Amino acid sequence: MYEANHLCAQLARHAVLTPDHPFAQRPGLSTVSYGALFDGAERMAKALTALGLEPGDRVAVQVDKSVEAIQLYLGTVLAGGIFLPLNTAYTDAELGYFLTDATPRIVVCDPGRLAGITAIGQGHVLTLAGDGTGTLTDALPETPGFEAIERAEWDLAAILYTSGTTGRSKGAMLSHGNLASNAEVLREYWRFTRDDVLIHALPIFHTHGLFVATNTALIAGSSTVFLPKFDPEAIIAAMPGATALMGVPTFYTRLLSDPRVTPELAANMRLFTSGSAPMLVDTHEKWLARTGHRVLERYGMTETNMSTSNPYEGERRMGTVGFPLPGVELRIMGDGKELTDGEIGVIEVRGPNVFQGYWQMPEKTAEELKEDGWFITGDLATRDAEGYVTIVGRGKDLIISGGFNVYPKEIEAIIDDLPGVTESAVIGVPHPDFGEAVVAVVVGETTPEALTAALTEKLARFKQPKAVYIVPELPRNTMGKVQKKALRDEYAGLFA
Ligand code: AMP
């Protein structure tokens, strides 16, 4: 067993208790047991140590999703290293920034990316393909057996770069204690046990797939149906033998377009969760009507792990993100004061879930993470009398038009309810008179004229869009988040 403070002591509990219990069922491939998972992790730890990894060194990883990639994560942490996953979509130019910023001792990439990444000139570069082969695999010793390097609760286990929608992407430093405490809280709050089979279809370079899904499954000893990517066919095939699915809203909208999604298909399921981006009430309602299950929506971010969740047993309220998780303090702030009367303000959170700061950015850290432990999330929200938190958008998405605050979510909700509308994004673009003008970008079978006419009756004049565009789809990142910055850039010159 590993030493108690160590994240892996928590995550490996079931590898010790029930080594034969399946961790990953892999369609078309062999099942990987808990014992085999951690044997592989220990072999990774040995190989990384032999390559010169010292405690506190970064291991930067840009690879396709595989069980071997999970073993690399666990092996890095066992060896006292800091796991640093990178989005597989990043180009060599983007990786240049991350690798130069993070100065990893070891870099692991897909064989297809070897030349470009070697040219960046950071760290010792090894390869790991989606099928588990590569120079890293070749370097693994035959036998497991590794004494985890001693780590304190606050020592770093991972650095995850934020999606960086404004300015430079920042490396969020996450400690052993941050990750272990959040996994334990989620296990308990969402009732994960060894009897669960979680459909794991999220990418593992992001907090949702790597920590929320993987760590929670591991700490509970649950099995997963481990899918290399989101694939509706594979999810539908897995559902009768599974008990839980963790998704982003687009998982649900995509699955809803398949007529095979029925109460019978979901009969064995006990939990569907959603997060990483707001889920429309309409999607919640359709999922309930189609499957008989209420999606449990939760809220978190790279810097804080999970902060709030709708209840498992109490009322799951659509359009809200529920209550602060046990041990997490949350307050809504405006003008330096805590708001208590349902007004809109910025969410701040404090607790064992909150990160240790931004990698090599002490000033940014000081701006957002206060000395008394409160972290300013930048998300705007309200909290109702019963304590349910509702996110109304990112602070930076707030539009100030003619001196009035306009909350995009309020207008999006009204537009989304109009006939023919599938979804919408409301943004502010520079305007010579108003400072910013409200612009609506809409997906659906409708016209700008029809929408403009309908909104005239429903919205105060300063909130009415000055321009409406119908588009085939909204720009989204891999986690399903609408890229408002891309839209703002696209429409920036509209009123110039
Ligand atoms: P990331 O760090 O990539 O996980 O992004 C975190 C951001 O996603 C948060 O700051 C929120 O703006 C947004 N987010 C996450 N979950 C939700 C949710 N359930 N509803 C609305 N926004 C969410």
Side-chain angles (χ1 to χ4, degrees):
M1 206 42 207
Y2 314 124
E3 163 249 342
N5 261 332
H6 208 285
L7 170 64
C8 289
Q10 320 294 322
L11 302 186
R13 218 184 274 162
H14 294 271
V16 177
L17 292 173
T18 50
D20 296 333
H21 191 63
F23 164 67
Q25 304 171 17
R26 301 179 297 170
L29 294 170
S30 60
T31 294
V32 179
S33 69
Y34 267 81
L37 178 75
F38 277 88
D39 281 355
E42 291 185 357
R43 292 167 68 214
M44 288 282 182
K46 277 176 145 178
L48 295 171
T49 307
L51 287 161
L53 188 82
E54 302 269 349
D57 281 348
R58 277 77 57 211
V59 177
V61 176
Q62 190 199 39
V63 296
D64 285 337
K65 185 176 174 184
S66 66
V67 165
E68 290 77 6
I70 298 283
Q71 289 170 326
L72 176 55
Y73 154 54
L74 296 169
T76 300
V77 176
L78 279 177
I82 302 174
F83 188 69
L84 197 155
L86 292 159
N87 192 323
T88 44
Y90 287 145
T91 62
D92 289 351
E94 287 166 316
L95 289 175
Y97 164 71
F98 293 115
L99 298 184
T100 311
D101 189 52
T103 56
R105 169 86 60 181
I106 293 167
V107 182
V108 182
C109 69
D110 189 80
R113 303 294 298 269
L114 183 61
I117 287 173
T118 307
I120 296 167
Q122 286 290 340
H124 185 96
V125 187
L126 296 143
T127 62
L128 179 65
D131 66 2
T133 60
T135 57
L136 174 63
T137 319
D138 297 341
L140 293 180
E142 286 284 314
T143 51
F146 185 86
E147 253 330 291
I149 301 297
E150 209 172 301
R151 297 273 83 187
E153 206 186 312
W154 52 85
D155 278 328
L156 300 187
I159 294 177
L160 265 63
Y161 280 87
T162 58
S163 359
T165 42
T166 49
R168 276 206 311 157
S169 186
K170 297 167 287 203
M173 304 190 287
L174 297 153
S175 69
H176 283 245
N178 291 148
L179 301 178
S181 68
N182 213 237
E184 183 59 18
V185 164
L186 295 178
R187 176 191 68 74
E188 170 118 32
Y189 208 73
W190 295 343
R191 313 279 195 274
F192 272 89
T193 72
R194 251 176 40 203
D195 296 331
D196 275 302
V197 179
L198 170 70
I199 303 176
H200 193 313
L202 292 158
I204 55 170
F205 51 72
H206 185 267
T207 185
H208 198 170
L210 185 62
F211 302 140
V212 184
T214 308
N215 287 357
T216 306
L218 285 172
I219 210 164
S222 307
S223 297
T224 63
V225 178
F226 197 79
L227 302 174
K229 60 176 178 19
F230 174 73
D231 169 6
E233 279 303 318
I235 290 183
I236 288 168
M239 230 187 259
T243 62
L245 170 70
M246 292 184 188
V248 293
T250 34
F251 279 24
Y252 294 100
T253 50
R254 295 269 305 276
L255 285 166
L256 277 168
S257 65
D258 195 303
R260 290 171 295 173
V261 174
T262 59
E264 292 71 44
L265 183 79
N268 196 47
M269 296 288 288
R270 68 167 186 89
L271 180 64
F272 293 93
T273 71
S274 179
S276 293
M279 181 142 147
L280 298 176
V281 170
D282 181 59
T283 311
H284 273 286
E285 281 169 350
K286 286 188 173 135
W287 192 262
L288 176 60
R290 278 283 290 287
T291 66
H293 288 275
R294 245 172 217 273
V295 172
L296 183 156
E297 186 163 357
R298 94 297 179 285
Y299 155 76
M301 62 199 297
T302 304
E303 291 92 329
T304 63
N305 298 283
M306 294 308 101
S307 293
T308 77
S309 172
N310 269 282
Y312 186 78
E313 256 135 33
E315 188 200 342
R316 296 180 197 167
R317 209 169 276 182
M318 299 176 184
T320 82
V321 294
F323 311 115
L325 284 162
V328 178
E329 292 176 87
L330 180 147
R331 62 186 188 189
I332 295 182
M333 301 291 286
D335 289 333
K337 293 193 305 284
E338 181 167 1
L339 306 175
T340 48
D341 47 6
E343 275 183 282
I344 294 174
V346 176
I347 299 183
E348 297 187 2
V349 291
R350 180 164 76 172
N353 55 315
V354 173
F355 75 144
Q356 310 298 304
Y358 293 113
W359 173 253
Q360 287 181 330
M361 287 187 175
E363 279 157 29
K364 260 277 158 225
T365 302
E367 271 168 36
E368 293 175 24
L369 180 58
K370 298 184 199 165
E371 256 170 32
D372 58 4
W374 286 100
F375 173 64
I376 306 169
T377 65
D379 286 313
L380 294 170
T382 63
R383 178 150 55 172
D384 71 14
E386 286 149 282
Y388 285 89
V389 175
T390 300
I391 313 273
V392 301
R394 290 288 297 164
K396 60 178 188 278
D397 293 333
L398 174 75
I399 304 167
I400 305 178
S401 190
F404 292 108
N405 283 1
V406 179
Y407 297 97
K409 174 119 187 254
E410 181 197 354
I411 303 174
E412 289 160 6
I414 292 172
I415 296 179
D416 292 346
D417 274 344
L418 294 174
V421 174
T422 310
E423 60 171 345
S424 60
V426 167
I427 53 168
V429 304
H431 188 284
D433 293 337
F434 300 104
E436 282 184 300
V438 178
V439 172
V441 186
V442 179
V443 179
E445 299 289 316
T446 177
T447 62
E449 295 71 30
L451 292 179
T452 307
L455 292 174
T456 313
E457 297 160 22
K458 291 183 190 282
L459 285 172
R461 212 186 158 88
F462 73 93
K463 296 182 193 169
Q464 288 169 18
K466 303 249 178 319
V468 176
Y469 290 90
I470 311 292
V471 297
E473 59 179 12
L474 298 175
R476 285 199 146 83
N477 71 6
T478 18
M479 298 310 291
K481 269 195 249 292
V482 174
Q483 298 303 87
K484 288 209 163 166
K485 183 173 180 303
L487 287 175
R488 282 195 289 265
D489 291 346
E490 185 177 343
Y491 295 98
L494 209 56
F495 302 100

